[in-house]
Amino acid sequence: MAASNTVDGAPGTTQAWSPRLALLVAATFFMEFLDGTVLTTAIPNIAADFHVPPADVNITMTAYLLTVAMGIPFSGWLAERMGARRVFCLAIAIFTLSSLACSLSQDLTALTLSRIAQGFGGAMMVPVGTLLVLRGTPKADLLRATAFLVWPGLLAPVLAPLVGGALTTYLSWHWIFLINLPLGAAAFLAALRMVPAVAGDPGRRLDWLGLFLTTLGVGALVVGLELVSAHPEAPWAALSAGFGAVSLLCAVLWMRRTRNPLFDLGVFNTRTFRAMATGGFAYRLTISSVPFLLPLMFQAGFGWSPLQAGAMVAAVFIGNIGIKPATTPLIRRFGFRAMLVFASIASAATFALCALLTPDTPQALTFALLVCSGAFRSIGFSAYASVQYADIAPAQLTSANTVSATLVQLATGAGIAVGALLIRVFAGLGTFPDDAAGPFRGAFLAMTVLMLASTADSLFLPRHAGAEVSQRKAQRV
């Protein structure tokens, strides 16, 4: 196996735990995650301004998500070469300036190119920001640190339709990007003050072939997932996804042989990290499908207005926030394995119950169900975000963080793609005749089964997995 990656400073060296830094990084994450989907509600307005069909505007979302996914593998090496602080500040600046360019775009081509630049900034912000927090956090405080970093990924998909709809309705679609300017400027100034300056490694060589194969593979997979959502009947989705999988396999084989790999794949020898790539991938995929499936079921299946559907989905947001103060105490009390099993089983139960909802179901009951669903997903997200780094050596932290960020991006895209595919499959099968919400019921039931695959994986974790982070003593079992 190739030598482990180095980190800024001496391996094992940590700074004091900084909640303010974690909050700053989380705020930049929120901007990046929000901009990934916030344009959905503004597509008709953008199309009207640019005099193009609404379907053509989807390219701006695809270009952004594709650039984020493809840029993440490069960001880990760049942080080691230039220093994490410098790259993080650069990422904020690129993201903010490209947001301005998006708002000033006069046609679809200019907006798409600006979104690509914005995606490149976002690709560096997420993994490099996480790395800054992880390097300065002792294992005993890792649960608290990841609690800050988890909430943007939970809240942004739920809030994006509401934020985008409000800005587009009462101002204009340009404000979706203009709102990033004061936020980005404040984040940049705060980063200059709060992020410790540690020198990079100018001698750090780039694994060009590994980068090419990984970037090509990730990009092809993302394109395949997008095609599954939009054109599942065409063969291009399967071809693109298959090509991406082959490229990633070649990347793995290459990085296992070369002396200076892009990633240290030895991180997968750590069981707690591997859980993120197996059960954690299935968990995030299914959870990511919920903000996509619910609004569609409420509108297309139940005949609700967009406002009514959006208000109901906000219950998931309430559950996310409401349980957050309890997630760390719960993990410390019961341990990672127990909470991962509980979160996945409870989430599967809420999926099954969502499949039973009808327009006549009391809205208070529906709201309560979605609050519970939000709470359970928050527990699982927090547990996976912490346990994956519990047993990672300091010298492997950069590789673990970059690999994790890449897989998270793929799982999120896969959740939407699989959800869209399941709707089409059940609509074609006619499993629920004379029921407008039938295809969505089938999709939720299928997601229930997939979530239980995550449960099975968690059951095979050691009883005291991640004990150094959870601080749960063996004798308390």
Side-chain angles (χ1 to χ4, degrees):
M1 187 65 209
S4 299
N5 293 344
T6 59
V7 296
D8 289 347
T13 300
T14 60
Q15 294 94 25
W17 151 241
S18 173
R20 290 194 305 163
L21 176 59
L23 187 60
L24 166 65
V25 172
T28 62
F29 288 5
F30 186 77
M31 286 196 302
E32 191 274 322
F33 292 149
L34 190 69
D35 275 43
T37 53
V38 73
L39 272 188
T40 304
T41 52
I43 284 177
N45 299 71
I46 296 174
D49 281 1
F50 291 163
H51 307 291
V52 297
D56 290 358
V57 182
N58 285 330
I59 187 64
T60 62
M61 294 180 60
T62 302
Y64 177 84
L65 296 174
L66 184 62
T67 307
V68 170
M70 295 178 68
I72 288 174
F74 177 68
S75 67
W77 172 84
L78 194 64
E80 291 190 342
R81 179 68 181 262
M82 296 178 57
R85 177 182 185 267
R86 186 179 300 173
V87 174
F88 184 61
C89 291
L90 176 64
I92 296 173
I94 292 175
F95 188 87
T96 304
L97 292 175
S98 57
S99 295
L100 176 61
C102 288
S103 69
L104 297 176
S105 298
Q106 299 298 309
D107 55 44
L108 188 59
T109 300
L111 179 59
T112 302
L113 292 175
S114 300
R115 288 283 279 174
I116 290 174
Q118 191 184 38
F120 183 68
M124 293 188 292
M125 274 201 308
V126 173
V128 177
T130 302
L131 187 62
L132 285 168
V133 174
L134 294 176
R135 282 181 174 171
T137 304
K139 291 287 181 70
D141 292 316
L142 190 57
L143 270 174
R144 296 169 60 199
T146 53
F148 282 84
L149 302 180
V150 164
W151 68 264
L154 289 168
L155 303 188
V158 179
L159 292 182
L162 181 62
V163 173
L167 291 174
T168 303
T169 301
Y170 297 108
L171 296 171
S172 73
W173 65 265
H174 304 82
W175 283 92
I176 290 175
F177 302 107
L178 289 173
I179 197 173
N180 288 332
L181 301 186
L183 298 176
F188 182 81
L189 294 175
L192 289 177
R193 295 189 59 181
M194 285 193 285
V195 178
V198 181
D201 178 12
R204 173 74 176 169
R205 297 178 59 186
L206 178 60
D207 175 13
W208 287 101
L209 182 57
L211 177 64
F212 173 76
L213 292 172
T214 302
T215 304
L216 186 66
V218 170
L221 277 177
V222 171
V223 170
L225 293 173
E226 288 288 319
L227 290 174
V228 165
S229 302
H231 307 288
E233 69 284 350
W236 306 114
L239 290 174
S240 180
F243 179 75
V246 171
S247 295
L248 290 178
L249 177 61
C250 292
V252 169
L253 295 175
W254 165 255
M255 283 188 276
R256 287 189 177 278
R257 295 180 56 188
T258 187
R259 283 188 172 185
N260 297 290
L262 183 65
F263 307 130
D264 178 3
L265 297 179
V267 294
F268 286 104
N269 295 331
T270 303
R271 179 63 181 91
T272 47
F273 181 81
R274 198 163 64 247
M276 175 277 305
T278 51
F281 190 91
Y283 185 88
R284 186 174 286 270
L285 185 155
T286 52
I287 287 296
S288 298
S289 70
V290 174
F292 170 76
L293 292 173
L294 279 175
L296 285 178
M297 184 173 76
F298 290 151
Q299 294 178 67
F302 293 2
W304 290 4
S305 68
L307 180 61
Q308 186 180 9
M312 186 62 73
V313 174
V316 178
F317 161 79
I318 294 174
N320 290 337
I321 292 297
I323 196 66
K324 186 54 64 183
T327 53
T328 296
L330 284 171
I331 293 172
R332 293 204 190 283
R333 172 65 180 86
F334 297 103
F336 281 110
R337 188 179 75 164
M339 294 316 299
L340 287 172
V341 170
F342 167 76
S344 57
I345 291 178
S347 295
T350 62
F351 290 172
L353 291 173
C354 283
L356 301 178
L357 294 175
T358 70
D360 297 324
T361 303
Q363 293 196 11
L365 189 60
T366 302
F367 193 86
L369 172 62
L370 298 187
V371 168
C372 291
S373 180
F376 299 146
R377 76 199 294 260
S378 184
I379 293 172
F381 265 57
S382 297
Y384 274 118
S386 300
V387 76
Q388 64 182 335
Y389 300 115
D391 303 313
I392 292 293
Q396 291 181 308
L397 193 55
T398 299
S399 290
N401 178 56
T402 309
V403 170
S404 172
T406 303
L407 291 176
V408 163
Q409 194 71 24
L410 290 176
T412 302
I416 298 173
V418 172
L421 181 61
L422 288 171
I423 292 172
R424 291 176 181 268
V425 168
F426 283 102
L429 292 175
T431 310
F432 303 90
D434 304 322
D435 183 0
F440 303 98
R441 302 189 194 284
F444 272 114
L445 291 175
M447 286 298 180
T448 299
V449 175
L450 186 56
M451 177 59 81
L452 293 177
S454 172
T455 306
D457 180 75
S458 297
L459 286 171
F460 285 99
L461 276 172
R463 295 183 67 184
H464 308 300
E468 185 180 356
V469 171
S470 67
Q471 296 183 317
R472 182 170 185 259
K473 304 300 182 182
Q475 62 266 27
R476 294 180 59 183
V477 178

